[in-house]
Amino acid sequence: MARITLENLKHSYADKPENDDDWALKHLEFECADGGAYALLGPSGCGKTTLLNIISGLLRPTQGRVLFDGEDVTDFMPDRRNIAQVFQFPVVYDTMSVYDNLAFPLRNRGIAGEALDKRVRLIAEMIDLTDTLHQRAAGLTADGKQKISLGRGLVRDDVNVIMFDEPLTVIDPHLKWQLRSKLKELHQQVGTTMIYVTHDQIEALTFAEQVVVMHEGSVVQIGTPVELFEKPQHTFVGHFIGSPGMNVIGCELDKGKATLAGTPVATAPVKNEPQPGANLEIGVRPEFITFAKSGIPVNVVRVSDTGRFSIVETKHKDQSIKLLVPEGGIIPSEAAHIRFDAKHTQIYADSRIIT
Ligand code: ATP
């Protein structure tokens, strides 16, 4: 396993990139610690696959370097990088048994005999394939086949990194949660550096110790799931993560004090003064807003009951503000007041946090 450093990376598919939009990766610099579990999370088109292909060596970056444990591998072909990859769709040999499929990457490396047998059986046990080891892979369901793919990704213990590219796409929704938690468990057991690419926040937050959130070719935040939830560094992170996402509401700021259309709002303290003319917004998650006797005047416009809580959509002037009310909580029928939990209320200037 290895520490992976991405240094000053940029990538464009255009021959002569001219403007910002010509760059699939705008400027990227971060490090994955040896043995860490990382997720690359972002919507379609944000550059996840481009970055994955640069790490695996399928693509040479237009600018910058990729290092494994400090060694520059930018010009190494994929086979010299010693990585394992698990793709969206199962890659299995249908005519072989499950055992032979799992043994394949080891045999390719010249491993045989007891060492091979022990490793195959250990991995089969981890991914619940022991009972099917001697069946032909062709007879397995799509879920079973994807488990083989996972097993083949995990079976070698000498790889620098295992990369997963949306590996749960073909898995039935009711089995997804099982495999999601299984993958986290597997990381703890094998301890290899792992990078998991997904657009699904639940998969990323369940699996990763550190989530790398990407937006339009840039990394907008790297953090633990709790950090991303409690203190999004960018309005995109707040909005993309959470269900519903963070409320982002236009505001004014005077000497560090925020107001919403004239109503004062307590927020976390401002740490960086915004540039003059910056677009100022308050970010507060629905979980940190409550109905109160006084505060910000709103009208309740819609209530959606999800069982354990209700999502209440309110309007303050023309701004929509959502809050969560736990089951059994009182929801006013029309005009009401709401309050934000100051500690969890942040201010953003041109989408970046300043509190
Ligand atoms: P998805 O989840 O849909 O695969 P992604 O986050 O992986 O999206 P990329 O596939 O890396 O994003 O695409 C990033 C940008 O680069 C997009 O604007 C895409 O259109 C562009 N792009 C990707 N591959 C190529 C290519 N081979 N040639 C030209 N442009 C490309």
Side-chain angles (χ1 to χ4, degrees), residues 155-301:
V155 75
R156 281 177 51 207
D157 61 2
D158 61 343
V159 293
N160 283 320
V161 53
I162 307 177
M163 307 211 287
F164 300 92
D165 190 0
E166 309 256 6
L168 303 185
T169 307
V170 296
I171 307 294
D172 255 19
H174 74 282
L175 279 177
K176 258 191 187 170
W177 71 269
Q178 272 181 10
L179 268 182
R180 266 201 317 253
S181 17
K182 188 83 199 169
L183 272 169
K184 190 176 182 84
E185 217 180 290
L186 290 169
H187 174 257
Q188 282 154 359
Q189 285 169 349
V190 300
T192 310
T193 314
M194 293 188 184
I195 301 179
Y196 187 112
V197 170
T198 181
H199 63 270
D200 182 324
Q201 54 164 312
I202 299 175
E203 283 179 30
L205 300 176
T206 314
F207 171 76
E209 292 156 350
Q210 292 282 322
V211 181
V212 178
V213 186
M214 295 183 66
H215 174 51
E216 295 178 350
S218 298
V219 169
V220 282
Q221 186 168 358
I222 302 177
T224 62
V226 171
E227 285 164 353
L228 299 181
F229 183 78
E230 295 206 334
K231 205 159 183 188
Q233 298 294 302
H234 192 284
T235 49
F236 174 78
V237 177
H239 198 69
F240 190 66
I241 290 176
S243 183
M246 181 173 84
N247 294 288
V248 179
I249 315 153
C251 72
E252 302 84 44
L253 194 64
D254 185 24
K255 298 191 184 77
K257 303 278 173 220
T259 50
L260 278 188
T263 309
V265 182
T267 66
V270 172
K271 289 190 189 135
N272 303 307
E273 278 302 316
Q275 294 293 321
N279 177 37
L280 296 169
E281 289 162 314
I282 279 179
V284 55
R285 292 203 177 273
E287 287 82 351
F288 302 126
I289 308 178
T290 45
F291 283 111
K293 289 213 165 66
S294 61
I296 302 157
V298 292
N299 282 310
V300 174
V301 292

Side-chain angles (χ1 to χ4, degrees), residues 263-264 289-300 312 314-316 321 323 325 330-340:
T263 309
I289 308 178
T290 45
F291 283 111
K293 289 213 165 66
S294 61
I296 302 157
V298 292
N299 282 310
V300 174
V312 184
T314 68
K315 276 250 155 107
H316 170 71
I321 305 176
L323 60 153
V325 176
I330 294 166
I331 301 172
S333 54
E334 276 179 23
H337 289 89
I338 56 172
R339 265 183 192 279
F340 301 164

Side-chain angles (χ1 to χ4, degrees), residues 13 24 42-51 166 197 199:
Y13 291 96
S44 180
C46 73
K48 304 179 297 291
T49 308
T50 304
L51 182 55
E166 309 256 6
V197 170
H199 63 270

Side-chain angles (χ1 to χ4, degrees), residues 2-266:
R3 169 172 50 96
I4 294 170
T5 313
L6 306 173
E7 208 179 80
N8 197 15
L9 277 192
K10 281 177 91 165
H11 188 73
S12 174
Y13 291 96
D15 290 337
K16 287 191 185 134
E18 278 164 8
N19 48 47
D20 221 31
D21 290 345
D22 292 336
W23 294 93
L25 293 182
K26 298 216 165 86
H27 178 247
L28 227 131
E29 187 142 306
F30 68 90
E31 189 160 273
C32 298
D34 191 2
Y38 291 81
L40 300 181
L41 172 69
S44 180
C46 73
K48 304 179 297 291
T49 308
T50 304
L51 182 55
L52 199 71
N53 289 343
I54 288 174
I55 298 173
S56 68
L58 290 171
L59 203 61
R60 199 192 186 288
T62 311
Q63 179 192 300
R65 300 196 303 160
V66 180
L67 300 111
F68 285 4
D69 279 338
E71 181 184 14
D72 187 346
V73 298
T74 321
D75 289 315
F76 285 14
M77 298 303 282
D79 56 342
R80 267 188 83 193
R81 298 194 183 199
N82 197 17
I83 54 180
Q85 263 189 286
V86 179
F87 299 95
Q88 263 185 338
F89 299 101
V91 179
V92 297
Y93 298 108
D94 269 348
T95 52
M96 286 186 191
S97 66
V98 173
Y99 185 103
D100 286 336
N101 264 286
L102 294 179
F104 195 81
L106 297 176
R107 289 192 176 123
N108 263 349
R109 291 251 148 184
I111 299 166
E114 201 183 324
L116 175 139
D117 189 61
K118 251 176 102 175
R119 188 71 188 168
V120 168
R121 288 181 191 280
L122 177 72
I123 296 296
E125 192 65 41
M126 283 184 193
I127 51 176
D128 303 324
L129 283 178
T130 304
D131 293 343
T132 58
L133 268 180
H134 297 291
Q135 281 181 27
R136 260 166 50 132
L140 267 68
T141 58
D143 302 326
K145 287 185 182 173
Q146 189 61 337
K147 276 192 185 177
I148 301 178
S149 286
L150 290 174
R152 285 161 53 111
L154 295 162
V155 75
R156 281 177 51 207
D157 61 2
D158 61 343
V159 293
N160 283 320
V161 53
I162 307 177
M163 307 211 287
F164 300 92
D165 190 0
E166 309 256 6
L168 303 185
T169 307
V170 296
I171 307 294
D172 255 19
H174 74 282
L175 279 177
K176 258 191 187 170
W177 71 269
Q178 272 181 10
L179 268 182
R180 266 201 317 253
S181 17
K182 188 83 199 169
L183 272 169
K184 190 176 182 84
E185 217 180 290
L186 290 169
H187 174 257
Q188 282 154 359
Q189 285 169 349
V190 300
T192 310
T193 314
M194 293 188 184
I195 301 179
Y196 187 112
V197 170
T198 181
H199 63 270
D200 182 324
Q201 54 164 312
I202 299 175
E203 283 179 30
L205 300 176
T206 314
F207 171 76
E209 292 156 350
Q210 292 282 322
V211 181
V212 178
V213 186
M214 295 183 66
H215 174 51
E216 295 178 350
S218 298
V219 169
V220 282
Q221 186 168 358
I222 302 177
T224 62
V226 171
E227 285 164 353
L228 299 181
F229 183 78
E230 295 206 334
K231 205 159 183 188
Q233 298 294 302
H234 192 284
T235 49
F236 174 78
V237 177
H239 198 69
F240 190 66
I241 290 176
S243 183
M246 181 173 84
N247 294 288
V248 179
I249 315 153
C251 72
E252 302 84 44
L253 194 64
D254 185 24
K255 298 191 184 77
K257 303 278 173 220
T259 50
L260 278 188
T263 309
V265 182

